[in-house]
Amino acid sequence: MGCCKVPALIQAQVEMGLVNDVEHKSLFRRETDSPQRKAASLMEQGSLSPSFRERATKTPNNSVLKSFKIVILSNKLNLLLPFGPLAILLHYLTDNKGWIFLLSLVGITPLAERLGYATEQLACYTGSTVGGLLNATFGNVTELIISIFALKTGMIRVVQLTLLGSILSNMLLVLGCAFFCGGLVFSQKEQVFDKGNAVVNSGLLLMAVMGLLFPAVLHYTHSEVHAGSSELALSRFSSCIMLVAYAAYLFFQLKRQPSSYTALIEETSQNEESSDDDEDPEISKWEAIIWLSILTAWVSLLSGYLVDAIEGASVSWKIPISFISVILLPIVGNAAEHAGAIMFAMKDKLDLSLGVAIGSSIQISMFAVPFCVVIGWMMGAQMDLNFQLFETATLFITVIVVAFFLQEGTSNYFKGLMLILCYLIVAASFFVHEDPHQDDI
């Protein structure tokens, strides 16, 4: 009955001349918009994109040429795309591994960003739950592809160091830049974020550290029941447990905590009426699927040349392989996430920045790392969770430092600067660190 009174009252007012035609339309639009606003409150937290909303979407009808213009020609970063074919050409014309590695690295950068774009476009049609799973799968697909190629060639240490570098880069560099830039824009106040969610994320990161710590301790204390095999068996068992924990985490975030971001979505939705066209998908579902396939195949092709040139680049540039794997490769793979986190922080949306930075770290530590262990198990490669003492200690200290910075639920430019400086210390440490297991690379 209450729902019927409002339209009746409006009609009476229209008849009495108290409400003009424009006001009449706007009042009805508010009523019809309310279900969409309720649906918008279902946006997930963590690493999930803000465009994952369960809403009706208009399917664009693009030609092949228009689709190509939207995906390839609309982004200035795609000016770097020709460096990929140039790297392949140099591979067959010269033997300069340094240049091949550099050009491959630059060529992969725009591909990583476009993969994120295509995933978000596809998520517009799938709803929040499937969209979250897509984001979890494709969010770090560049690192996963590089890792699988390295596993196929037996470069287990490159896999371990690359994944470790992605975690360190997201927690220190990405989060630090977000805090720093956001703090400069809003220098007159302290930015705030969901403290409870940050504590949960810190706990998951500590669980990941636990998974990596015990195999290393078992190895260095020489307390294995079966020398050489207990460490590997523990790593594989822990990896399966971590994958189960990550699946439970996704379910918890997608199903149990939708209200955590209701206030955030209501705030951001105030500008929706003026930007409806921007929020609709630009390409159709099948276009997104085809572009995802093309981009993934292109990243896979370039990753093969990139991995093949790592050792030669290390010799040519006289830079440790550990520095290339931990610092250079992750910065390229996380380029789009760097920009996204900073953009959200400068709009005072720190929860989204934390979702990008910390959420991606959780994806890698709780999904990508154990996934590579399981894939290596299937391939017959002895990939384990023993990242060696120096690397495990670096990760442990990093998680503790970040957890301390997040415990208050506030940020400012000083905290961001401290995180960036911590990352510089980590980078310098790996620059002078000689990996004792060079034979495994």
Side-chain angles (χ1 to χ4, degrees):
M1 292 293 295
C3 296
C4 298
K5 290 179 181 177
V6 176
L9 178 60
I10 295 173
Q11 185 62 36
Q13 289 175 331
V14 171
E15 292 174 355
M16 294 173 61
L18 298 177
V19 180
N20 61 31
D21 186 60
V22 175
E23 291 172 336
H24 179 261
K25 290 180 180 179
S26 66
L27 285 168
F28 270 108
R29 182 163 59 247
R30 288 193 191 103
E31 271 193 34
T32 56
D33 281 351
S34 60
Q36 295 178 351
R37 293 186 182 277
K38 290 179 182 178
S41 68
L42 296 175
M43 190 185 91
E44 311 83 16
Q45 61 173 25
S47 59
L48 308 185
S49 168
S51 66
F52 292 157
R53 298 189 178 108
E54 296 183 15
R55 52 183 173 85
T57 56
K58 297 179 181 179
T59 303
N61 187 17
N62 299 324
S63 63
V64 175
L65 181 60
K66 186 176 181 181
S67 178
F68 180 82
K69 287 181 178 179
I70 292 172
V71 178
I72 302 299
L73 302 181
S74 63
N75 193 334
K76 293 181 181 179
L77 189 63
N78 290 341
L79 292 173
L80 301 178
L81 283 174
F83 285 98
L86 186 58
I88 298 175
L89 186 63
L90 281 181
H91 175 79
Y92 294 102
L93 296 180
T94 70
D95 196 32
N96 192 324
K97 298 293 185 181
W99 278 106
I100 296 171
F101 175 82
L102 178 62
L103 292 175
S104 301
L105 200 64
V106 174
I108 283 180
T109 304
L111 295 176
E113 190 276 333
R114 289 290 88 184
L115 273 171
Y117 168 80
T119 304
E120 290 190 358
Q121 292 294 305
L122 182 59
C124 292
Y125 302 95
T126 60
S128 62
T129 303
V130 178
L133 294 175
L134 281 172
N135 192 47
T137 303
F138 286 98
N140 295 295
V141 70
T142 306
E143 290 91 338
L144 281 174
I145 291 174
I146 292 174
S147 298
I148 291 173
F149 268 94
L151 275 177
K152 287 177 64 177
T153 56
M155 302 171 73
I156 294 175
R157 285 297 289 162
V158 168
V159 177
Q160 293 177 329
L161 293 173
T162 301
L163 295 176
L164 173 69
S166 293
I167 301 171
L168 297 176
S169 172
N170 278 299
M171 285 197 294
L172 294 177
L173 183 61
V174 177
L175 188 62
C177 289
F179 280 3
F180 182 74
C181 294
L184 290 180
V185 173
F186 299 94
S187 57
Q188 302 302 317
K189 68 169 187 175
E190 279 197 322
Q191 293 180 287
V192 296
F193 52 85
D194 188 346
K195 180 179 177 181
N197 182 44
V199 170
V200 171
N201 290 339
S202 299
L204 274 171
L205 290 170
L206 284 171
M207 180 181 178
V209 170
M210 180 188 296
L212 271 61
L213 183 63
F214 288 145
V217 171
L218 191 67
H219 175 80
Y220 284 99
T221 57
H222 305 287
S223 55
E224 299 173 89
V225 175
H226 304 288
S229 61
S230 296
E231 175 189 331
L232 185 60
L234 175 62
S235 296
R236 289 170 175 173
F237 175 79
S238 298
S239 295
C240 294
I241 296 297
M242 291 165 72
L243 288 174
V244 171
Y246 183 71
Y249 165 73
L250 279 183
F251 179 82
F252 177 75
Q253 300 290 64
L254 298 176
K255 294 295 185 182
R256 300 301 181 187
Q257 294 265 316
S259 61
S260 298
Y261 277 66
T262 302
L264 176 64
I265 298 308
E266 289 178 351
E267 177 184 342
T268 58
S269 64
Q270 290 176 358
N271 298 323
E272 282 183 358
E273 293 182 3
S274 62
S275 60
D276 282 339
D277 294 337
D278 295 335
E279 293 185 354
D280 285 332
E282 297 178 336
I283 58 178
S284 68
K285 178 173 68 174
W286 286 107
E287 285 178 81
I289 293 174
I290 292 171
W291 277 113
L292 272 176
S293 303
I294 294 172
L295 293 169
T296 302
W298 187 230
V299 169
S300 301
L301 180 64
L302 274 184
S303 296
Y305 293 96
L306 182 73
V307 171
D308 181 65
I310 286 179
E311 191 171 357
S314 174
V315 175
S316 176
W317 296 345
K318 298 180 180 178
I319 296 177
I321 293 181
S322 58
F323 180 83
I324 293 176
S325 301
V326 174
I327 305 300
L328 297 184
L329 290 180
I331 287 179
V332 170
N334 297 328
E337 292 165 340
H338 289 201
I342 293 173
M343 178 190 68
F344 288 133
M346 293 177 69
K347 294 180 179 180
D348 202 18
K349 301 175 184 177
L350 270 189
D351 284 300
L352 295 180
S353 293
L354 283 172
V356 172
I358 303 300
S360 184
S361 297
I362 292 173
Q363 283 182 17
I364 298 167
S365 58
M366 296 294 292
F367 173 71
V369 171
F371 179 76
C372 285
V373 172
V374 173
I375 290 296
W377 189 3
M378 296 177 180
M379 295 168 56
Q382 294 191 347
M383 166 81 180
D384 57 26
L385 295 178
N386 178 13
F387 279 37
Q388 306 306 321
L389 188 61
F390 182 83
E391 290 79 1
T392 305
T394 302
L395 178 62
F396 178 70
I397 296 298
T398 297
V399 172
I400 295 298
V401 168
V402 172
F404 270 104
F405 276 102
L406 297 179
Q407 65 178 348
E408 293 180 348
T410 62
S411 79
N412 49 57
Y413 71 89
F414 177 73
K415 288 184 177 180
L417 180 61
M418 292 301 101
L419 290 174
I420 295 172
L421 294 178
C422 287
Y423 185 75
L424 293 179
I425 293 174
V426 169
S429 300
F430 278 98
F431 189 80
V432 299
H433 172 62
E434 183 179 358
D435 190 71
H437 293 77
Q438 291 281 358
D439 295 337
D440 296 336
I441 297 180

